Amino acid sequence: IVHIASAAGLAPLLLLYFQQVSLIAPLANLVAVPLVSLLVVPCCLLGTILMLIIPQAGIALLAASGFALQLLWPCLEWLSELSFAQWPGRPPSLGVAVLATAGLLLLFAPRGIPARWLGATMLLPMFFAPVDSPESGEFRFTLLDVGQGLAAVVETAKHTLVFDTGARFSDRLDMGSGVVAPFLRSRDIHSIDRLVISHGDNDHLGGAHSLNELIHIETIYTSPGHSIHWKPVSECKAGQRWTWDGVEFRMLAPLTGHSERENDNSCVLKVTSRSNAILLTGDIEKQAERALVERYGTLLESDYLVVPHHGSNTSSTLDFLEAVRPEYALVPAGYRNRYGFPRPQVVQRLERVGATIYNTADSGAILISPGSIETPATPLRYRKLARKYYHFDAEASGEDPFTKSISARNAAIESNSRTGS
C-alpha cells in the first residue's frame, strides 16, 4: 500500500516534468526497497568502516553488496521493458497539478475524514484536460529547438505531420526521443500521420528511428535515393498533394532528375490554410532554388519561410526570397554553431525583402497559430512565453544578448573572410 500511495502521489509531478508515469514502480519498489534497505546500504556502510579496521572483512561486505545489486538489476531491466511499464500523458498545468496533489492527499487521508472519495474527482482534470487543436481549415506549426538541425510539427484539426527529426548524437541521445516525442506527448499526440525526412543528413534524419519506436508513424516520405532500413518509405516527388481538414499540403520538390548535391534533393513542402502559408525547404541550395523559381514563380509566395540550410550562404538567394516574399523567416540553427549560421549575407538578403527574422538559437521553439487572412499571426517564441524571473529582459532594455552575441560573431566571421584569415 505504501508503494502504491507513493507512486500515486508522485504522478502529478512526473506528468508535469516528464509527461509519463511509471506503472511498474510499486512492483519494482516492492522488490528493490527491502533488498537495498536491509542488505545493500548496511553492507556498504559497514564495509566502508571495516575497510579501515579489517580490510578483508570490509572487502567481503562490499562484494556482497555488489552481488545483491547484480541480482536485482536484471529484474528491474525486465520490468522496465514491459509494454505497460509506463503511461505517457500530456503535462498538466501547474494549477491542475496542485489540484491533483490535494486530491491524492484527501484520498489517502486517515479513515474517519468525511468525503475522501471527492479526492478522485479532483484528479479528473489531470487526465481529461482539453488540447487546443486548430479549427478546420487552419494549422498549428511548431519549429522545435533541436540545436543545429531541423524538426518541425504541423497540426491540423485531426492530423499531424512531422518534418525532420533533428540529429542523433549517440546510442543514448538523439532529438527524436529527447525533443520531438516529448513535445508530441505534451500535445496529446500519439500517432504521426506522415513523417517527412527532407534528406539523409544526420541533423535532419538522426532522430527518426527512436521517434518511430516511441510513437506510431503511419507513413514516411523522404528524398530520392535515400532509404530507411527499419520501415518502408515513399519518395518525395514534385506534384504530390493532399488535403487534411481543409489544409492543403503540396510537395514542390525534388523536381525530376537526381541532383549530384544531396542537399538539392531535399523535400520541399508548402502548407496552405485559409489564412496562412508556410514553406519548408530542408537544405536546398542555389541550384534547387533557381529551379523552384523557374517552375513555380509567384506560387512560392508564403507568409512564413523556414530558411533553407539553416541560413547558409549557399542558399537563400535573392531571386528565391523575392519569389517567396515571406513576412517571417524562421531560422533553425544552433546557438553559436560552428558554421556561423545564419550567415550575415543571408540576414541582409532577408532584411532586404522585408522579412522579420526569428532564430531558434535565441527564440527556442517557435509557434505559429492561425492568424487572419489580412495579417499573418506573429510567431510566438518559447523563451519569451516561458521566461523565468532570472532571464534578461531584452525588450525592456532594447538589447537582446543572444542576438547581440550572434551578430558580433557573424561580424567577426565576415571581417575575417574579407581579410582572408
Side-chain angles (χ1 to χ4, degrees):
I1 297 298
V2 172
H3 296 314
I4 294 175
S6 62
L10 289 173
L13 287 176
L14 291 172
L15 275 179
L16 182 63
Y17 289 106
F18 304 107
Q19 297 92 50
Q20 56 190 6
V21 174
S22 174
L23 300 180
I24 49 90
L27 181 58
N29 287 336
L30 186 65
V31 177
V33 170
L35 183 64
V36 173
S37 301
L38 300 177
L39 181 60
V40 175
V41 173
C43 284
C44 282
L45 294 176
L46 186 57
T48 302
I49 295 173
L50 288 178
M51 285 288 290
L52 303 174
I53 306 171
I54 311 174
Q56 294 302 322
I59 291 173
L61 286 173
L62 292 175
S65 176
F67 179 72
L69 288 175
Q70 287 180 337
L71 294 177
L72 174 63
W73 198 253
C75 176
L76 297 180
E77 284 187 328
W78 178 79
L79 287 173
S80 69
E81 292 172 359
L82 295 174
S83 59
F84 55 87
Q86 59 189 18
W87 176 76
R90 64 186 303 260
S93 64
L94 183 59
V96 169
V98 170
L99 181 66
T101 301
L104 288 167
L105 291 174
L106 183 58
L107 274 176
F108 292 110
R111 292 182 180 180
I113 293 180
R116 288 191 302 163
W117 60 272
L118 287 175
T121 64
M122 299 167 68
L123 299 177
L124 296 179
M126 186 170 63
F127 299 101
F128 299 104
V131 178
D132 55 333
S133 299
E135 297 180 357
S136 180
E138 299 291 355
F139 65 81
R140 185 181 194 270
F141 175 82
T142 307
L143 181 62
L144 297 173
D145 180 10
V146 291
Q148 185 57 34
L150 175 61
V153 179
V154 183
E155 303 171 53
T156 66
K158 297 179 181 178
H159 294 83
T160 301
L161 178 140
V162 174
F163 192 96
D164 286 341
T165 57
R168 180 182 183 88
F169 302 105
S170 69
D171 292 339
R172 292 179 172 270
L173 176 62
D174 66 78
M175 291 300 166
S177 59
V179 175
V180 183
F183 171 77
L184 294 175
R185 283 197 295 261
S186 73
R187 296 287 301 155
D188 201 27
I189 296 171
H190 304 287
S191 178
I192 299 169
D193 296 284
R194 187 159 296 179
L195 170 63
V196 178
I197 302 297
S198 63
H199 62 299
D201 285 356
N202 176 56
D203 57 336
H204 297 255
L205 166 70
H209 185 250
S210 63
L211 181 63
N212 180 67
E213 292 182 336
L214 295 170
I215 294 181
H216 172 71
I217 300 174
E218 193 68 32
T219 57
I220 299 179
Y221 279 72
T222 188
S223 59
H226 178 71
S227 61
I228 293 176
H229 67 275
W230 39 265
K231 194 177 181 74
V233 300
S234 301
E235 287 189 354
C236 297
K237 295 179 182 178
Q240 293 168 334
R241 301 174 71 167
W242 67 95
T243 301
W244 287 340
D245 311 312
V247 177
E248 182 187 56
F249 294 77
R250 183 174 181 179
M251 198 71 70
L252 304 183
L255 302 172
T256 54
H258 186 81
S259 173
E260 295 180 357
R261 297 185 66 85
E262 179 66 20
N263 286 345
D264 280 332
N265 293 318
S266 295
C267 305
V268 176
L269 180 68
K270 183 176 181 180
V271 185
T272 306
S273 72
R274 61 190 178 192
S275 60
N276 296 323
I278 187 165
L279 188 63
L280 296 105
T281 56
D283 275 358
I284 60 171
E285 298 182 350
K286 296 177 182 179
Q287 180 180 344
E289 291 181 354
R290 188 181 308 113
L292 286 170
V293 172
E294 291 174 355
R295 176 160 181 173
Y296 298 106
T298 57
L299 291 177
L300 292 172
E301 188 171 334
S302 303
D303 302 291
Y304 309 93
L305 170 67
V306 179
V307 175
H309 203 183
H310 319 283
S312 166
N313 195 39
T314 61
S315 308
S316 300
T317 58
L318 187 58
D319 288 344
F320 176 74
L321 296 179
E322 287 178 340
V324 179
R325 295 177 59 193
E327 290 279 344
Y328 298 95
L330 315 180
V331 183
Y335 178 60
R336 290 191 173 182
N337 64 85
R338 60 177 176 160
Y339 309 104
F341 296 161
R343 298 290 293 180
Q345 304 94 321
V346 172
V347 172
Q348 291 171 5
R349 291 197 290 268
L350 287 168
E351 291 174 343
R352 181 172 174 179
V353 298
T356 301
I357 305 170
Y358 290 98
N359 188 350
T360 57
D362 52 62
S363 298
I366 301 171
L367 167 66
I368 297 172
S369 296
S372 66
I373 297 176
E374 295 80 12
T375 307
T378 301
L380 302 176
R381 295 165 286 168
Y382 178 78
R383 285 188 181 167
K384 180 174 176 61
L385 293 175
R387 178 176 293 166
K388 304 297 188 293
Y389 68 90
Y390 48 80
H391 278 179
F392 183 88
D393 192 346
E395 294 187 2
S397 67
E399 180 182 35
D400 185 339
F402 296 104
T403 303
K404 183 179 179 182
S405 65
I406 291 173
S407 299
R409 180 209 59 206
N410 283 342
I413 293 172
E414 180 68 9
S415 176
N416 289 339
S417 65
R418 288 176 178 173
T419 59
S421 59

